[in-house]
Amino acid sequence: MTIREARQRAGITQVALAKKLNVTQSAVARWESGEHPPLKKYHKGLCRALRVTAKDLDEIKEKHTS
């Protein structure tokens, strides 16, 4: 699963996710494209917003870096 898939599964838009995490929509787009992984300080909020565990988030990040 990718960040995009997790976000879509959670039923939220890039804009809504960005607002929840107090980042720009373009930051979310970069995370989804794998251009830049999310900073660690956003992990807890991402887990909550995307309804995934920290382990799930680590697996998502690994897919982007491999």
Side-chain angles (χ1 to χ4, degrees):
M1 177 178 7
T2 64
I3 292 176
R4 175 177 285 131
E5 291 167 340
R7 177 183 55 75
Q8 290 171 336
R9 187 184 254 180
I12 57 177
T13 65
Q14 283 185 347
V15 172
L17 180 58
K19 284 183 180 180
K20 286 179 184 244
L21 299 173
N22 199 28
V23 298
T24 63
Q25 179 271 330
S26 60
V28 174
R30 286 191 300 272
W31 297 344
E32 289 185 356
S33 72
E35 185 179 335
H36 295 285
L39 296 174
K40 188 152 182 83
K41 68 181 183 178
Y42 297 114
H43 289 191
K44 192 180 281 189
L46 270 172
C47 288
R48 261 194 311 271
L50 300 178
R51 295 182 223 132
V52 298
T53 66
K55 183 179 178 187
D56 293 335
L57 187 60
D58 286 340
E59 289 173 6
I60 288 170
K61 289 187 326 188
E62 285 176 17
K63 285 186 178 185
H64 281 294
T65 58
S66 57

